[in-house]
Amino acid sequence: DVKVTQSSRYLVKRTGEKVFLECVQDMDHENMFWYRQDPGLGLRLIYFSYDVKMKEKGDIPEGYSVSREKKERFSLILESASTNQTSMYLCASSLLDRGFSVTGELFFGEGSRLTVL
Amino acid sequence: KNEVEQSPQNLTAQEGEFITINCSYSVGISALHWLQQHPGGGIVSLFMLSSGKKKHGRLIATINIQEKHSSLHITASHPRDSAVYICAVGGSGGGADGLTFGKGTHLIIQP
């Protein structure tokens, strides 16, 4: 059974703390994504990666960084958490097509609900 | 950037009813995804389509590329179909640009 696993379902952190959210996929997918989901705003892309050590900014990268040292693992880092980063974070993966676009089926993790106090 | 509009935003129906959720987008795409999100957060991919129609059980997805429109239908709806249904489009940015998502349709099926 194919799987995308996020390290934590629920986290509570304090303002200014460094936060790591990890995502691992077992499908040998090239593409990996980090999204945040907020009520009324839907899913918004933070960063994505189409290969090891490659990363591209999404729509809302400010305040976040990412790391992809191995193909199966994509980490989201909040260097100094702030209250406006309280959200649901979702990781996803997919195959990469020749046009480097997301046309493969998407697989999502269960989500990590982060609260920053 | 593609604009993705879903309608309706909220839908409450009785068990057994035929359900239709619509998705329109503004720029040509390579593929359209229908996703389902149950309370608790996890998202499941229902369909990925680039033309025509796909069917899986009681779910049917259609896409009209010329009209830039897709519909998701649920036949013989059941309370377990209650979820948020999200439309997402991809391949319109000319690069590895991820997907553009609609804001979702919150569906409640009452027994």
Short mmCIF file of all heavy atoms in Angstrom, two decimals, chain A residues 8 23 31-32 35-36 48-49 64 68 72 80 91 93 102 111:
data_model
loop_
_atom_site.label_atom_id
_atom_site.label_comp_id
_atom_site.label_asym_id
_atom_site.label_seq_id
_atom_site.Cartn_x
_atom_site.Cartn_y
_atom_site.Cartn_z
N SER A 8 4.41 14.15 12.45
CA SER A 8 3.59 14.47 13.62
C SER A 8 2.19 14.86 13.17
O SER A 8 2.03 15.61 12.22
CB SER A 8 4.19 15.64 14.40
OG SER A 8 5.54 15.37 14.75
N CYS A 23 8.36 14.59 6.12
CA CYS A 23 7.47 13.83 5.25
C CYS A 23 8.30 12.77 4.53
O CYS A 23 9.35 13.08 3.96
CB CYS A 23 6.81 14.77 4.25
SG CYS A 23 5.77 13.94 3.03
N ASN A 31 8.38 14.16 -7.46
CA ASN A 31 7.77 15.38 -6.93
C ASN A 31 7.37 15.22 -5.47
O ASN A 31 6.73 14.24 -5.10
CB ASN A 31 6.48 15.70 -7.69
CG ASN A 31 6.71 16.34 -9.03
OD1 ASN A 31 7.78 16.85 -9.31
ND2 ASN A 31 5.69 16.33 -9.86
N MET A 32 7.69 16.21 -4.68
CA MET A 32 7.15 16.30 -3.32
C MET A 32 6.76 17.73 -3.04
O MET A 32 7.41 18.67 -3.55
CB MET A 32 8.14 15.78 -2.28
CG MET A 32 8.40 14.28 -2.41
SD MET A 32 9.37 13.59 -1.07
CE MET A 32 8.14 13.48 0.24
N TYR A 35 2.08 21.92 1.48
CA TYR A 35 0.98 22.86 1.40
C TYR A 35 0.56 23.24 2.82
O TYR A 35 0.76 22.47 3.76
CB TYR A 35 -0.24 22.22 0.74
CG TYR A 35 -0.06 21.79 -0.69
CD1 TYR A 35 0.26 20.47 -1.00
CD2 TYR A 35 -0.23 22.69 -1.73
CE1 TYR A 35 0.42 20.06 -2.32
CE2 TYR A 35 -0.08 22.29 -3.06
CZ TYR A 35 0.25 20.98 -3.33
OH TYR A 35 0.41 20.58 -4.64
N ARG A 36 -0.07 24.40 2.93
CA ARG A 36 -0.79 24.69 4.15
C ARG A 36 -2.25 24.92 3.78
O ARG A 36 -2.56 25.38 2.68
CB ARG A 36 -0.22 25.87 4.95
CG ARG A 36 -0.26 27.21 4.30
CD ARG A 36 0.29 28.29 5.24
NE ARG A 36 -0.68 28.69 6.26
CZ ARG A 36 -0.43 29.57 7.23
NH1 ARG A 36 0.75 30.17 7.31
NH2 ARG A 36 -1.36 29.87 8.11
N PHE A 48 7.93 23.21 -3.30
CA PHE A 48 7.94 21.87 -3.85
C PHE A 48 9.34 21.52 -4.34
O PHE A 48 10.20 22.39 -4.48
CB PHE A 48 6.90 21.70 -4.96
CG PHE A 48 7.15 22.51 -6.20
CD1 PHE A 48 7.79 21.96 -7.29
CD2 PHE A 48 6.71 23.83 -6.27
CE1 PHE A 48 8.00 22.71 -8.43
CE2 PHE A 48 6.91 24.58 -7.41
CZ PHE A 48 7.56 24.02 -8.49
N SER A 49 9.51 20.24 -4.58
CA SER A 49 10.81 19.73 -5.02
C SER A 49 10.57 18.66 -6.08
O SER A 49 9.71 17.81 -5.90
CB SER A 49 11.56 19.12 -3.83
OG SER A 49 12.69 18.40 -4.26
N TYR A 64 9.36 30.13 5.66
CA TYR A 64 9.59 28.68 5.57
C TYR A 64 10.85 28.39 4.77
O TYR A 64 11.25 29.17 3.92
CB TYR A 64 8.42 27.99 4.88
CG TYR A 64 7.06 28.22 5.50
CD1 TYR A 64 6.22 29.23 5.03
CD2 TYR A 64 6.61 27.42 6.53
CE1 TYR A 64 4.98 29.45 5.59
CE2 TYR A 64 5.37 27.62 7.09
CZ TYR A 64 4.56 28.63 6.62
OH TYR A 64 3.32 28.84 7.18
N ARG A 68 15.66 18.68 0.97
CA ARG A 68 15.44 17.36 0.35
C ARG A 68 16.81 16.76 0.06
O ARG A 68 17.38 16.91 -1.02
CB ARG A 68 14.62 17.47 -0.92
CG ARG A 68 14.19 16.08 -1.41
CD ARG A 68 12.93 16.10 -2.14
NE ARG A 68 12.52 14.79 -2.59
CZ ARG A 68 11.89 14.58 -3.72
NH1 ARG A 68 11.63 15.57 -4.54
NH2 ARG A 68 11.52 13.35 -4.05
N GLU A 72 13.24 10.21 -0.84
CA GLU A 72 12.02 9.84 -0.14
C GLU A 72 11.60 10.82 0.95
O GLU A 72 10.52 10.72 1.48
CB GLU A 72 12.16 8.44 0.47
CG GLU A 72 13.15 8.32 1.62
CD GLU A 72 14.56 7.99 1.16
OE1 GLU A 72 14.86 8.17 -0.05
OE2 GLU A 72 15.35 7.55 2.02
N SER A 80 11.65 30.37 12.73
CA SER A 80 11.22 31.07 13.94
C SER A 80 9.69 31.17 13.87
O SER A 80 9.15 32.07 13.23
CB SER A 80 11.86 32.45 14.00
OG SER A 80 11.41 33.16 15.14
N CYS A 91 1.65 17.33 3.28
CA CYS A 91 2.70 16.92 2.36
C CYS A 91 2.06 16.04 1.29
O CYS A 91 1.12 15.30 1.56
CB CYS A 91 3.76 16.14 3.12
SG CYS A 91 5.05 15.41 2.09
N SER A 93 3.02 13.81 -2.66
CA SER A 93 4.03 13.40 -3.64
C SER A 93 3.34 12.94 -4.91
O SER A 93 2.16 12.58 -4.90
CB SER A 93 4.92 12.29 -3.09
OG SER A 93 4.22 11.06 -3.02
N VAL A 102 2.64 18.62 -12.81
CA VAL A 102 1.96 17.63 -11.98
C VAL A 102 0.79 17.06 -12.75
O VAL A 102 -0.31 17.60 -12.74
CB VAL A 102 1.46 18.25 -10.66
CG1 VAL A 102 0.77 17.19 -9.81
CG2 VAL A 102 2.61 18.86 -9.90
N GLY A 111 -1.53 14.87 7.28
CA GLY A 111 -1.55 16.26 7.73
C GLY A 111 -0.94 16.43 9.11
O GLY A 111 -0.97 15.51 9.94
#
